[in-house]
Amino acid sequence: MSNKIAVQIDDLTVAYNYKPVLWDIDLTIPEGVLMAIVGPNGAGKSTLIKSILNIIKPIAGSIQIYGKPYHKQRSLVAYVPQKGSVDWDFPTTALDVVTMGTYGSLGWIKRPGQKEKKASLEALEKVGMLAFKNRQISQLSGGQQQRIFLARALVQNAAIYFMDEPFQGVDATTEKAIINILKELRKSGKTVIVVHHDLQTVPEYFDWVTFLNVKKIATGPVKDIFNDDNLTKTYGINYKVSVQQ
Amino acid sequence: MSSAQIEIQLIASLVAIACAIPGTFLVLRKMALITDAISHSILPGIVIGFFITHDLSSPLLIILAAASGVLTVVLVEFIQKTGLVKEDTAIGLVFPALFSIGIILIAQNANDVHLDVDAVLLGELAFAPFDRLYIRGTDVGPKSLWIIGCIVVITLGLLFTFFKELKISTFDTGLAAALGLSPVIMHYGLMTVASITTVGAFDAVGAILVIALMIAPAATAYLLTNDLKKMLRLAVFFGVSSAIIGYWVAHTLDTSISGSMTTVLGLIFLFVYLFAPNKGLFSVLYRQKQQRIEVSLLTFLLHLGNHKEEDERHVKHLNEHINWQKVQSKSVLDLALKNNMITIDNDIVSLTKKGKKFTTKAIDYIISNKNSEIETMKDRFFLFRG
């Protein structure tokens, strides 16, 4: 972790149909952390990520990526949406989905060429899916689909990675494989931000955590703030999690 | 073939191409119903354009019609966003409203001109060669040929230019937005193209049948391929073939051209739906039957492996022990024998070495979901394919 700030959010409020789902969020994410966003259903975790990526327009507040607004820093950011947000029956192959990660750096109209194909194949290899490159995406298991999504983010070669529930519906082996790749990303100085559901694994997987429930409850290093007090504040019930350091 | 016949087939084919391309993306976006809405609600645009220009093939008419097509989409989305009704209800509210405005405008003002409800709904391809385009007095062909030709060229141009953007915004809107490849522009661009195509095709096939030309070729192609580019090519192929076959069916039976085209489209879809290699009905049924037999076989082998005692392995008792119908146990027994996985000695069934090995491997695979060892078995057993 360096002293640089990767993401700076000030006074962010987001509403759907005038009903706030995120209320006055201030959040500073330092460079080089592997951070979990935790909170109950409807806490606004996905909305927070989508607002940072400018997919949803906030009604107030500002978001800066390395000191500049998102639309100037797109090339620094990679995004893994929820697996369920796309139609896996779409007529395309694993390799093609990964290649979509290069579309951002290509910009409008330009087609992916040999360079993009090579990068996509390397990303597939990193997630252990090279053998499936020509497989139609509906023929992949849930875990394999998630690996493809991860490969698509890797090919973007970004500085900050946002992932929306990457462990949803994957088996234990895939979960380990994914978390190892995320830890590697952090080791190489990248910032990784993950919407996460399984509170038991937070201390094992992450070094930074943000508690969210419409408002920000707390943010900081896991070892300092991942405690029953914050969990109870976030989830509203008396929460006991044995925190292993 | 007379030149009029060639011209009609050419127009029909171009209409089919122009419809198949946006149709493919609409099917993939699960927006097939919106073409129904657009094809109806462009009517007020056409009528108003016609009152201004008194020319059914004027460019202004196309622009106004396309605008009312896009207006439909905007209205549907607006109503949907209120959260009070779902998308299908919103579509059902918007297009009849716009369509009825068009109908009233026609009934009020256009009784004495060539624009009646029948022509709007069904079109008439047979008349297309009579309305000709003259440039400095020279006959250069039917007007509708030129209009639909231009639309095809523009559609193909846009498709080749923005293929990547269309693909990503159709597959993953969120990522497209995050990458700055504005899915909103793609969405409304596609809606505009669909509206313009509908207007161009509408003269030839009418407002109702244009829906079939957009949806059926794409839906047919979807059953046959897992590749977007191939799907587009197949959709165009099916559209054009049914346009030409449909024309000759109409010619032979002396009936409506657009009706015949659509019927041919429907028949092609039915044929592919039944016989497509992977997604077709028969292939799915066959696969399910095979899988059922294979699961039974495995259960049977496992039972044999688990029981040393002879009465558990007696041919006559197998039915009771595994609780199967006679027919099923007979076919499973035959399959196992044929594959040399069991031997029957004095009505007592025993696993062979091969049978034992297969059972262990198969169970291992099902439990661990590992792929390396099983690859060879995949070719022979459906059970192990995805």
Side-chain angles (χ1 to χ4, degrees):
Chain A
M1 200 186 106
S2 69
N3 292 324
K4 272 204 209 154
I5 292 168
V7 183
Q8 176 70 47
I9 299 172
D10 293 304
D11 310 317
L12 178 76
T13 298
V14 183
Y16 291 128
N17 292 326
Y18 307 107
K19 182 176 171 282
V21 280
L22 285 176
W23 195 247
D24 199 30
I25 307 285
D26 292 310
L27 183 62
T28 306
I29 305 171
E31 183 182 53
V33 295
L34 177 47
M35 183 180 97
I37 302 176
V38 298
N41 291 332
K45 303 183 294 292
S46 298
T47 307
L48 177 63
I49 286 190
K50 284 181 184 161
S51 318
I52 298 172
L53 296 168
N54 215 11
I55 299 171
I56 295 173
K57 303 266 175 289
I59 57 172
S62 80
I63 299 162
Q64 304 219 300
I65 310 282
Y66 283 110
K68 287 183 192 151
Y70 175 74
H71 65 90
K72 288 191 178 152
Q73 305 282 52
R74 274 201 185 104
S75 62
L76 297 179
V77 177
Y79 172 46
V80 178
Q82 278 186 28
K83 197 157 62 65
S85 68
V86 304
D87 173 17
W88 290 95
D89 285 326
F90 192 83
T92 189
T93 59
L95 176 61
D96 195 41
V97 171
V98 176
T99 312
M100 287 181 191
T102 66
Y103 288 7
S105 59
L106 282 169
W108 286 82
I109 297 167
K110 251 174 85 184
R111 304 275 185 100
Q114 282 307 313
K115 193 179 127 214
E116 283 76 21
K117 192 181 170 192
K118 198 171 147 258
S120 308
L121 288 172
E122 281 169 14
L124 272 172
E125 181 150 36
K126 249 182 236 168
V127 300
M129 288 290 293
L130 195 56
F132 298 89
K133 64 179 162 102
N134 293 323
R135 190 70 72 85
Q136 209 274 324
I137 51 172
S138 66
Q139 316 257 306
L140 299 169
S141 72
Q144 291 171 332
Q145 291 173 343
Q146 195 64 62
R147 284 174 194 233
I148 295 296
F149 258 18
L150 181 61
R152 190 177 68 174
L154 292 178
V155 89
Q156 286 181 252
N157 199 15
I160 312 175
Y161 290 79
F162 290 94
M163 317 215 164
D164 204 341
E165 300 196 25
F167 304 121
Q168 198 185 40
V170 307
D171 57 28
T173 329
T174 305
E175 181 160 331
K176 281 280 172 313
I178 293 177
I179 197 67
N180 284 338
I181 291 170
L182 300 190
K183 283 180 174 171
E184 248 171 61
L185 284 172
R186 179 191 47 189
K187 236 180 249 166
S188 60
K190 318 274 190 185
T191 309
V192 184
I193 295 146
V194 179
V195 170
H196 192 58
H197 258 300
D198 183 7
L199 295 170
Q200 305 291 340
T201 53
V202 169
E204 187 193 334
Y205 290 174
F206 301 95
D207 60 1
W208 210 263
V209 65
T210 293
F211 290 94
L212 191 73
N213 191 358
V214 185
K215 294 204 275 186
K216 184 193 76 182
I217 312 294
T219 185
V222 170
K223 61 176 166 31
D224 298 338
I225 68 156
F226 194 72
N227 52 38
D228 292 344
D229 184 33
N230 279 326
L231 283 164
T232 307
K233 273 189 203 156
T234 309
Y235 288 86
I237 45 172
N238 218 345
Y239 229 104
K240 292 272 178 224
V241 168
S242 55
V243 181
Q244 309 133 355
Q245 293 297 332
Chain B
M1 260 192 283
S2 71
S3 72
Q5 283 179 323
I6 294 172
E7 280 169 5
I8 290 173
Q9 289 176 71
L10 206 54
I11 293 170
S13 303
L14 287 174
V15 166
I17 297 171
C19 287
I21 294 167
T24 299
F25 287 99
L26 291 168
V27 165
L28 289 175
R29 286 167 175 247
K30 302 177 177 56
M31 294 180 72
L33 202 56
I34 204 89
T35 59
D36 191 10
I38 289 177
S39 69
H40 284 78
S41 54
I42 57 170
L43 186 63
I46 291 176
V47 176
I48 294 167
F50 182 74
F51 290 152
I52 298 172
T53 60
H54 288 276
D55 177 4
L56 256 182
S57 45
S58 136
L60 180 73
L61 208 109
I62 294 180
I63 292 166
L64 284 176
S68 58
V70 175
L71 177 71
T72 317
V73 179
V74 173
L75 284 176
V76 167
E77 280 166 5
F78 178 77
I79 295 178
Q80 198 189 340
K81 259 189 202 145
T82 61
L84 299 173
V85 295
K86 297 269 179 278
E87 188 188 11
D88 52 347
T89 314
I91 291 175
L93 286 168
V94 170
F95 86 80
L98 289 172
F99 187 65
S100 56
I101 292 172
I103 298 278
I104 290 174
L105 284 175
I106 294 180
Q108 284 272 303
N109 306 303
N111 280 329
D112 52 341
V113 291
H114 157 65
L115 182 71
D116 56 57
V117 177
D118 275 359
V120 167
L121 287 179
L122 300 173
E124 194 38 271
L125 208 47
F127 296 149
F130 297 126
D131 189 12
R132 308 199 71 84
L133 182 70
Y134 294 93
I135 295 178
R136 292 198 194 130
T138 328
D139 178 6
V140 291
K143 256 187 198 168
S144 45
L145 184 64
W146 282 94
I147 293 173
I148 198 68
C150 288
I151 293 173
V152 168
V153 169
I154 293 169
T155 307
L156 282 174
L158 288 171
L159 176 71
F160 283 117
T161 314
F162 295 110
F163 180 73
K164 171 180 111 233
E165 286 78 8
L166 269 168
K167 182 167 72 180
I168 192 171
S169 64
T170 302
F171 175 63
D172 192 341
T173 321
L175 184 72
L179 293 178
L181 300 169
S182 177
V184 179
I185 294 180
M186 284 297 126
H187 175 70
Y188 285 106
L190 182 63
M191 290 305 139
T192 312
V193 169
S195 304
I196 291 175
T197 304
T198 309
V199 194
F202 144 107
D203 207 14
V205 294
I208 295 180
L209 299 183
V210 69
I211 306 162
L213 280 174
M214 285 218 180
I215 305 307
T220 314
Y222 182 71
L223 296 178
L224 286 172
T225 179
N226 289 325
D227 177 335
L228 180 57
K229 282 181 186 163
K230 266 190 210 145
M231 184 176 165
L232 280 160
R233 282 197 287 268
L234 279 172
V236 167
F237 169 75
F238 287 129
V240 172
S241 334
S242 48
I244 291 169
I245 299 170
Y247 171 77
W248 287 103
V249 170
H251 184 79
T252 316
L253 303 177
D254 191 18
T255 182
S256 150
I257 298 172
S258 48
S260 307
M261 275 166 59
T262 318
T263 309
V264 172
L265 265 178
L267 290 174
I268 291 179
F269 176 79
L270 181 67
F271 182 81
V272 171
Y273 168 73
L274 293 177
F275 300 108
N278 286 313
K279 297 181 190 166
L281 183 67
F282 287 127
S283 135
V284 168
L285 288 178
Y286 175 72
R287 198 158 56 227
Q288 282 173 350
K289 185 177 159 245
Q290 285 307 109
Q291 264 187 17
R292 208 160 46 226
I293 293 176
E294 284 164 14
V295 170
S296 309
L297 173 70
L298 205 54
T299 318
F300 171 59
L301 295 177
L302 199 61
H303 176 81
L304 289 179
N306 283 341
H307 293 281
K308 296 282 163 290
E309 53 280 34
E310 291 205 340
D311 65 320
E312 287 273 357
R313 297 190 278 127
H314 198 280
V315 171
K316 296 221 171 85
H317 292 242
L318 282 171
N319 293 339
E320 316 161 17
H321 281 296
I322 323 191
N323 203 7
W324 281 344
Q325 307 287 328
K326 274 220 172 92
V327 186
Q328 193 185 4
S329 42
K330 171 110 179 49
S331 65
V332 168
L333 212 61
D334 290 346
L335 183 69
L337 262 180
K338 208 173 72 192
N339 281 293
N340 293 325
M341 288 172 174
I342 52 166
T343 50
I344 303 178
D345 186 23
N346 246 345
D347 277 358
I348 303 294
V349 190
S350 315
L351 275 179
T352 60
K353 243 185 194 159
K354 190 188 167 201
K356 260 184 206 145
K357 215 174 142 198
F358 172 81
T359 316
T360 337
K361 257 186 170 180
I363 297 298
D364 267 4
Y365 171 71
I366 288 169
I367 293 169
S368 69
N369 220 357
K370 283 270 184 333
N371 276 294
S372 50
E373 289 226 348
I374 216 86
E375 284 303 332
T376 47
M377 290 162 84
K378 268 191 177 172
D379 301 328
R380 291 195 296 128
F381 293 93
F382 284 97
L383 193 53
F384 307 114
R385 295 179 207 166

